[in-house]
Amino acid sequence: MTCMSTGFRRIVSVLATGIALVCTGPAPWTVPAAQAAPPTTRCATGTPVTGDYNGDGSPDLAVSVRLNSEDASNLFVSTTRNSTGTWLDLGDINGRSNNVLTTADLDGDRCADAILRRWNGFTLIHGSANGLMVAERIALDVPRAAGHAQECRAATFVHDALHQVVVACSTWDGADADDMVINHADPFIYVYTLGADGPIGEPQVIGGPLDLGTPTVVAADAHAVVVGSSGEAVLVLTPDGSNPVRLVHRASITQATPGVAGTVGDHAFGESLALRDGYLAIGARLENLGSAKRAGRVHLLRWKASTRSFASVRAISQGTRGVVGTNESGDRFGSTLAIARGLTGSGSYDVIIGASHENVGSIGDAGSVTVANVTKARYRTYTQNTKGVPGKAEKSDPGSVSSGEHFGRGISVLPTSATTDTLAIGAPGETNDGCINQGYIAVSDGRKLTSATKWTYLKPPTEGCSIYDGDEFYGWGQEFGN
């Protein structure tokens, strides 16, 4: 069977275990096919639910791992949001890859689509009524100078009846990692406008001295695109008023921006961020607070339509009144971020804050997660020692490849309804039944968080064990694709 067409490869698959289809061409791909799969049908029209790759109205669980040589893939997707699903076999060698799924809206149907980040670029994948079938797999070719390395992040931006992919890149000069220098002279933001068959024409190039550094995250909502990086600044892009196809760099948010707490410094400001419905959370995980070095702080901002910009709301740290804990050296509060609905109140907007290097008692790097109402003083903090949360904070095994369990290293929100989300927390350093650093995920019950919240413990769907196993596997839950 040859899966090849002009301009892009076509691969048909289903998110279920079963016999594999092998598509041959310039690059072979092996994709699992379902047993007795129903015919492919189109998704209903409407706004896709974030992460709902099969269009049934409920988000799917998409998880990545650090290493999976047993299944030769590091991406797992479950339409039932548990440990039953499919490893996406994308031709990686021994599961050693940088593949990450990002939910996207490429075409406006009810099925969410995805952007697959690979070592050498991006691939656009359409969802279908039968799951993330890769029915149309379209390579997104990002320009790169010969002999130069490149680090890129991407997200979709839907506005003015347009579907666009925004890619932020940094170009590196040098022979190896120790000799690499970011070349700010090269353009490194590309805006691709999409049609039914992929990008239309050449991308818009946004260049200039944007102080981007190495990009770490790109996020978008209906108002703007924000780009976080190692450059201690968050770039804000919005459509050109006279030509919405073109995006304009409107501003760069730094700790010198009026209303933003602190001062400009080496704080990793902007290396983590989250954006949803006009609410923007920016992490500064290395910020010093008093005598606490690299304690971390999170800055909350709100979109103002009148000025087409973000205005500061407040800042949160572990020194904020009502937040459990104190500012301590090395906690890195704000290492991971997400914005959720309905977790602290009816229809509330909440910021989920990971501090994966938090010590729990004498247990180093056990990790914690704080859920904070964006505008009100409502907080809940979780560790593996919190009543009801599966597992317990444990010391690392002497043979561990991780400094701790890192509860909160991965965070995801899965919509339960239009105003309430389910919270998923990854602890990639967790040891399961002697399997060192295998990892686990704690999933809430999809309601407002209370002391009675029922959590589910999801082990990885693998027989592999750890670095001592012939089939090496570790790091389940380090990242999510929702």
Side-chain angles (χ1 to χ4, degrees):
M1 176 179 179
T2 301
C3 299
M4 187 74 176
S5 66
T6 303
F8 57 88
R9 301 181 184 89
R10 296 181 180 271
I11 304 175
V12 179
S13 68
V14 175
L15 289 175
T17 56
I19 303 172
L21 282 176
V22 179
C23 301
T24 59
W29 303 100
T30 303
V31 183
Q35 298 175 356
T40 300
T41 58
R42 292 186 59 80
C43 301
T45 59
T47 303
V49 174
T50 300
D52 176 20
Y53 298 120
N54 66 350
D56 64 359
S58 297
D60 307 323
L61 181 67
V63 187
S64 68
V65 300
R66 290 182 61 191
L67 175 64
N68 181 13
S69 62
E70 178 184 14
D71 298 288
S73 174
N74 74 329
L75 290 174
F76 178 83
V77 179
S78 171
T79 59
T80 52
R81 298 175 298 286
N82 55 28
S83 296
T84 301
T86 298
W87 291 103
L88 299 186
D89 190 346
L90 298 169
D92 302 309
I93 301 174
N94 295 327
R96 297 176 184 269
S97 69
N98 195 33
N99 289 347
V100 175
L101 282 179
T102 300
T103 294
D105 183 1
L106 303 177
D107 50 20
D109 64 11
R110 187 169 172 76
C111 294
D113 309 304
I115 299 174
L116 172 66
R117 188 180 84 220
R118 303 177 57 82
W119 282 114
N120 57 351
F122 298 92
T123 301
L124 308 182
I125 304 175
H126 287 271
S128 79
N130 290 335
L132 191 62
M133 294 182 63
V134 201
E136 291 188 349
R137 178 189 179 89
I138 305 172
L140 191 66
D141 297 323
V142 179
R144 184 175 67 178
H148 292 233
Q150 198 160 254
E151 182 74 12
C152 302
R153 297 292 184 269
T156 52
F157 184 32
V158 181
H159 65 100
D160 300 295
L162 295 169
H163 294 255
Q164 297 182 307
V165 175
V166 180
V167 180
C169 297
S170 287
T171 299
W172 293 339
D173 295 323
D176 54 45
D178 294 331
D179 192 33
M180 285 183 177
V181 177
I182 296 174
N183 185 347
H184 289 287
D186 291 339
F188 42 75
I189 293 184
Y190 307 96
V191 182
Y192 297 83
T193 299
L194 303 178
D197 295 324
I200 302 173
E202 295 298 317
Q204 175 196 355
V205 180
I206 302 176
L210 298 179
D211 298 324
L212 181 61
T214 302
T216 54
V217 59
V218 179
D221 64 3
H223 309 290
V225 178
V226 291
V227 182
S229 75
S230 62
E232 298 291 325
V234 174
L235 277 60
V236 180
L237 310 175
T238 63
D240 187 322
S242 60
N243 182 8
V245 173
R246 296 186 62 80
L247 301 188
V248 178
H249 172 219
R250 297 289 182 184
S252 293
I253 302 171
T254 72
Q255 288 188 280
T257 300
V260 177
T263 58
V264 175
D266 188 16
H267 301 155
F269 180 88
E271 288 192 20
S272 60
L273 59 79
L275 173 65
R276 181 173 177 180
D277 297 344
Y279 290 101
L280 173 62
I282 302 175
R285 60 184 174 85
L286 301 183
E287 187 160 1
N288 301 331
L289 297 174
S291 61
K293 306 299 183 183
R294 301 189 174 190
R297 179 157 56 181
V298 174
H299 304 266
L300 301 178
L301 300 92
R302 178 74 189 272
W303 176 258
K304 293 185 66 175
S306 60
T307 60
R308 296 177 64 83
S309 62
F310 288 96
S312 181
V313 175
R314 64 191 182 117
I316 299 174
S317 72
Q318 288 185 296
T320 299
R321 184 175 180 180
V323 175
V324 174
T326 58
N327 292 327
E328 298 171 310
S329 295
D331 283 347
R332 303 184 187 184
F333 186 81
S335 295
T336 48
L337 294 169
I339 295 177
R341 296 293 311 272
L343 296 186
T344 63
S346 178
S348 63
Y349 280 90
D350 309 294
V351 57
I352 316 301
I353 305 169
S356 60
H357 288 266
E358 171 91 3
N359 296 340
V360 177
S362 62
I363 310 300
D365 293 343
S368 71
V369 171
T370 296
V371 181
N373 188 290
V374 169
T375 58
K376 300 179 181 179
R378 297 176 181 169
Y379 310 99
R380 302 195 71 88
T381 296
Y382 296 92
T383 72
Q384 287 190 86
N385 285 352
T386 301
K387 183 178 179 180
V389 175
K392 63 179 180 179
E394 300 169 305
K395 292 183 178 180
S396 294
D397 187 277
S400 176
V401 296
S402 173
S403 61
E405 293 172 312
H406 296 296
F407 183 81
R409 170 63 179 83
I411 294 173
S412 183
V413 289
L414 311 174
T416 308
S417 69
T419 58
T420 308
D421 289 328
T422 298
L423 176 59
I425 303 172
E430 174 78 3
T431 294
N432 293 311
D433 300 324
C435 291
I436 301 171
N437 302 139
Q438 191 180 65
Y440 94 109
I441 299 169
V443 181
S444 74
D445 58 14
R447 301 186 177 111
K448 173 185 172 182
L449 296 174
T450 69
S451 59
T453 295
K454 297 185 182 300
W455 295 83
T456 301
Y457 187 111
L458 297 184
K459 291 184 178 180
T462 182
E463 296 179 0
C465 193
S466 68
I467 58 174
Y468 299 113
D469 194 289
D471 293 320
E472 297 179 57
F473 181 102
Y474 58 86
W476 163 259
Q478 74 157 1
E479 290 188 80
F480 292 89
N482 302 93

